[in-house]
Amino acid sequence: MSLMELKGITKSYRQGGLFGSKREISVLKGIDLNIEPGRCLGLLGASGCGKSTLGRLALGLEKPDKGGVFYKGQDLAQLSKEEKTLWRRNCQVVFQNSHGAVNPRYEAWRIVSEPLLNYGWVKEKLKPKAEELLASVGLDSTALFKKPHQFSGGELQRICVARALALEPEFIVLDEPVSSLDMLNQSLVLELLSNLKIRSGTAFLFISHDLRVILKMSDSLAVMKGGRITSFSDEISKLEDPNIPVDPTLRTLASAVLEAEPK
Amino acid sequence: MAEAVLEVSHLTITYPAGGRTIVDDLSFSVLAGEAVALVGESGSGKTTASLAIMGLPPDGLRKTAGSVRLLGEDITDLSQEGYRKLRNVKMGMVMQNPISCFDPVFSIWSHFKETLKSHQSVTKDEIREKAVLALSEAGFERPENVLELYPFQMSGGMLQRVMLAITLVLSPPLVIADEATTDLDVPSQAVILRLLNERRQERGLSLLIITHDLSVAAAMASKIVFLENGHLIEIGEAKTIFSNPASTGASKLLALHRDLYTDRYMKVTKNLTQI
């Protein structure tokens, strides 16, 4: 059974209104997508195609206009408060901009242990657990009492990954987790995530505009353009077969990737 | 031999009072029509070096040694007023985050007006004419409409193209692009880089490209300057460095860079580009 299921999702935002006239902007135009347990689904698309909105819907941060988001067959909109609390624990997120995703006044141990606090951990256990979590993303105990501005973007992104892991979720939405990192941190974060998937069978929705990163990480691939999914491959290795039909959107995105070597 | 447009020699930047050295004894030059990439990981000092070259050293930092020459003229100790006259005329700059480079309450038209009026005496019609030309060269199909827009109405990729149009409107001989495409998606990145490359090939624009992304360096630059912890670790022809890096720092980054181009990626893109 699917872990998360998105069925017939449409979503539009309202723009303007204060001075100009209001208009509706349709962002998602009928999306069906399944996220299987323990697998990484890559979501590829250019800026503005609706991929981040889709990620937010899968997290329950936005409500769809039409259609529904289902967790193990249950409609999120129908869940009781207690059920929702339980679901939320199994569903975490890492965003692109790590500096915007943490409280600037909190020390690192408090950032990573905040989810634990929300789920009733006693205070004495938080710091040892935080140290363990930070160690799992390659940060030593000197990091515990530093604040966000004392970390580089790559270190802070690893702290965000540690926070997402704190409750051992079944599913993590990764919204461009490495696009603003330098190469060393990019490879560190990607390796961390691959190991996590193998070790604890966490499912990922990996959102990116970079085909190189998607092909490195994902088991299946959905390509988006203009609020629609233009192609879906359940096994990403099938894309290596020269006889499969080519999705023009995927071709455009692939042709924009720069080559590895100088000409 | 072509003339050096930018010549940086022995540039050293430190925190005052005997503090940490951020850039240590950096020397390189950019020749006319040449594209040079300044490459390094976060914290290697590449942005600090580029800001010092542009006369915008970050708070608390100062140049303690070395010199910067632009078109043969020493600009090391120029006043802020002196730098203001240079910028956009002799040296254009494109920064990483386009949103913070625009004033949110001014339209794109006002931004063009400000740039042009601070260097030339131009009439309204001339501003419009130049702005429309610059925007259409930056790939906008309806440049007149773009002039009426405000920054918040545009995406990051569009804003960066507008930034580039403003930077190029006075045709400076040198453009410094500091991580200009890092925050953009792959298609927008390709558009910006193609524009810069066309300018270089057609009109001999010199480029200094600051990036951590070796694929950008590979696509754009003929010469690469590698920085690590403020030190220059390697400098040379892009092809030579890519095929045979001399330093361990450069080899390590190149290995990480090539890791992204997996066998699967190569096979998949081969299928996709076959027609």
Side-chain angles (χ1 to χ4, degrees):
Chain A
M1 190 175 66
S2 300
L3 184 63
M4 297 287 299
E5 206 173 347
L6 290 89
K7 275 190 200 160
I9 302 270
T10 65
K11 175 80 186 167
S12 57
Y13 291 119
R14 209 166 280 159
Q15 211 180 50
L18 188 56
F19 299 114
S21 57
K22 276 189 188 174
R23 51 183 179 148
E24 292 258 317
I25 294 184
S26 170
V27 183
L28 297 176
K29 301 164 184 167
I31 299 274
D32 295 289
L33 207 59
N34 287 341
I35 293 147
E36 311 289 336
R39 283 170 62 87
C40 178
L41 168 62
L43 189 57
L44 183 76
S47 296
C49 72
K51 57 192 192 305
S52 286
T53 301
L54 191 60
R56 292 176 63 83
L57 275 156
L59 285 163
L61 297 174
E62 304 276 354
K63 286 199 178 83
D65 295 343
K66 275 192 203 138
V69 183
F70 299 86
Y71 168 66
K72 293 184 178 167
Q74 286 176 292
D75 190 345
L76 283 190
Q78 310 287 329
L79 292 184
S80 68
K81 207 179 164 194
E82 289 75 25
E83 285 170 324
K84 210 156 190 179
T85 313
L86 203 69
W87 163 73
R88 180 101 10 259
R89 146 174 221 152
N90 281 318
C91 182
Q92 298 287 322
V93 62
V94 178
F95 290 111
Q96 173 172 7
N97 177 0
S98 51
H99 280 278
V102 297
N103 186 330
R105 293 165 190 265
Y106 282 8
E107 291 169 343
W109 73 269
R110 201 162 160 204
I111 293 171
V112 293
S113 59
E114 209 180 357
L116 302 168
L117 202 61
N118 293 342
Y119 283 88
W121 278 52
V122 287
K123 278 194 172 154
E124 292 72 41
K125 284 189 178 171
L126 292 181
K127 271 182 205 167
K129 179 68 183 176
E131 192 169 352
E132 195 185 301
L133 284 166
L134 287 174
S136 73
V137 296
L139 292 165
D140 60 24
S141 56
T142 56
L144 276 174
F145 300 102
K146 285 196 203 163
K147 288 188 176 177
H149 70 269
Q150 294 170 292
F151 293 105
S152 71
E155 287 169 334
L156 205 57
Q157 192 62 300
R158 282 187 272 152
I159 289 174
C160 289
V161 174
R163 174 175 64 182
L165 305 184
L167 292 165
E168 293 163 17
E170 292 174 313
F171 171 49
I172 303 182
V173 174
L174 302 156
D175 192 352
E176 304 272 11
V178 296
S179 15
S180 55
L181 303 184
D182 65 14
M183 273 182 298
L184 187 62
N185 277 300
Q186 184 168 339
S187 88
L188 276 173
V189 170
L190 290 180
E191 201 178 300
L192 199 73
L193 293 170
S194 311
N195 290 340
L196 176 75
K197 202 177 86 188
I198 297 164
R199 206 176 56 233
S200 33
T202 316
F204 294 140
L205 176 63
F206 195 104
I207 302 172
S208 180
H209 62 258
D210 190 336
L211 184 63
R212 296 171 298 184
V213 178
I214 292 255
L215 288 179
K216 215 172 145 93
M217 294 296 294
S218 311
D219 303 306
S220 46
L221 173 69
V223 183
M224 273 185 83
K225 188 186 181 185
R228 289 198 173 84
I229 291 177
T230 58
S231 67
F232 180 77
S233 325
D234 56 347
E235 283 297 336
I236 210 159
S237 53
K238 284 184 190 164
L239 290 172
E240 292 179 21
D241 177 0
N243 300 317
I244 52 140
V246 169
D247 170 17
T249 312
L250 181 56
R251 175 184 281 156
T252 313
L253 287 164
S255 62
V257 179
L258 299 172
E259 285 180 24
E261 311 295 327
K263 278 200 191 96
Chain B
M1 201 180 116
E3 175 200 355
V5 172
L6 180 74
E7 217 175 336
V8 177
S9 39
H10 307 292
L11 183 68
T12 304
I13 300 163
T14 53
Y15 278 112
R20 222 151 52 89
T21 304
I22 309 295
V23 177
D24 189 14
D25 197 21
L26 175 65
S27 302
F28 67 92
S29 60
V30 184
L31 305 182
E34 187 182 37
V36 175
L38 190 58
V39 176
E41 293 287 273
S42 305
S44 61
K46 53 190 195 303
T47 291
T48 307
S50 74
L51 288 172
I53 292 165
M54 298 184 282
L56 299 164
D59 282 347
L61 288 174
R62 58 194 184 94
K63 288 179 230 175
T64 44
S67 67
V68 180
R69 296 176 79 82
L70 181 67
L71 299 161
E73 185 192 349
D74 193 334
I75 60 164
T76 322
D77 296 310
L78 216 57
S79 65
Q80 275 309 313
E81 180 59 21
Y83 271 115
R84 198 187 63 74
K85 283 183 183 153
L86 283 184
R87 285 190 205 118
N88 286 318
V89 181
K90 292 188 176 168
M91 173 169 64
M93 306 177 293
V94 188
M95 305 285 199
Q96 177 169 3
N97 183 355
I99 303 210
S100 62
C101 293
F102 286 89
D103 190 324
V105 299
F106 284 130
S107 65
I108 302 304
W109 155 259
S110 309
H111 284 87
F112 271 101
K113 191 171 102 182
E114 196 194 355
T115 306
L116 285 162
K117 283 232 164 173
S118 41
H119 298 290
Q120 295 175 346
S121 59
V122 276
T123 64
K124 219 173 162 182
D125 288 341
E126 285 168 337
I127 297 174
R128 184 165 292 275
E129 195 184 309
K130 287 184 184 195
V132 164
L133 181 67
L135 285 169
S136 64
E137 283 179 351
F140 287 100
E141 282 173 13
R142 293 189 185 83
E144 290 87 357
N145 298 0
V146 175
L147 284 176
E148 310 307 320
L149 295 176
Y150 285 83
F152 71 89
Q153 292 171 306
M154 310 178 88
S155 72
M158 283 165 88
L159 271 183
Q160 197 64 299
R161 276 194 285 151
V162 174
M163 191 70 236
L164 193 60
I166 294 176
T167 305
L168 293 174
V169 74
L170 289 164
S171 304
L174 172 72
V175 166
I176 300 178
D178 186 0
E179 302 278 12
T181 58
T182 306
D183 283 355
L184 305 183
D185 68 346
V186 169
S188 320
Q189 178 183 42
V191 172
I192 300 274
L193 295 181
R194 197 174 58 230
L195 274 167
L196 284 171
N197 234 345
E198 278 170 11
R199 277 280 179 145
R200 188 180 67 75
Q201 283 163 354
E202 288 163 15
R203 301 187 210 170
L205 174 74
S206 306
L207 291 171
L208 176 60
I209 291 159
I210 289 117
T211 183
H212 67 254
D213 186 344
L214 281 171
S215 54
V216 172
M220 300 292 290
S222 53
K223 188 157 89 189
I224 294 186
V225 183
F226 257 103
L227 282 185
E228 192 181 75
N229 297 324
H231 300 279
L232 190 153
I233 52 168
E234 197 161 350
I235 180 166
E237 287 270 316
K239 277 183 194 155
T240 319
I241 292 187
F242 267 79
S243 57
N244 193 11
S247 61
T248 47
S251 325
K252 202 175 95 185
L253 287 188
L254 275 165
L256 288 174
H257 164 66
R258 288 185 177 126
D259 268 356
L260 271 179
Y261 295 82
T262 49
D263 290 345
R264 171 164 294 161
Y265 173 80
M266 299 315 272
K267 280 182 196 158
V268 170
T269 45
K270 198 175 157 218
N271 289 346
L272 288 171
T273 42
Q274 269 171 6
I275 299 173

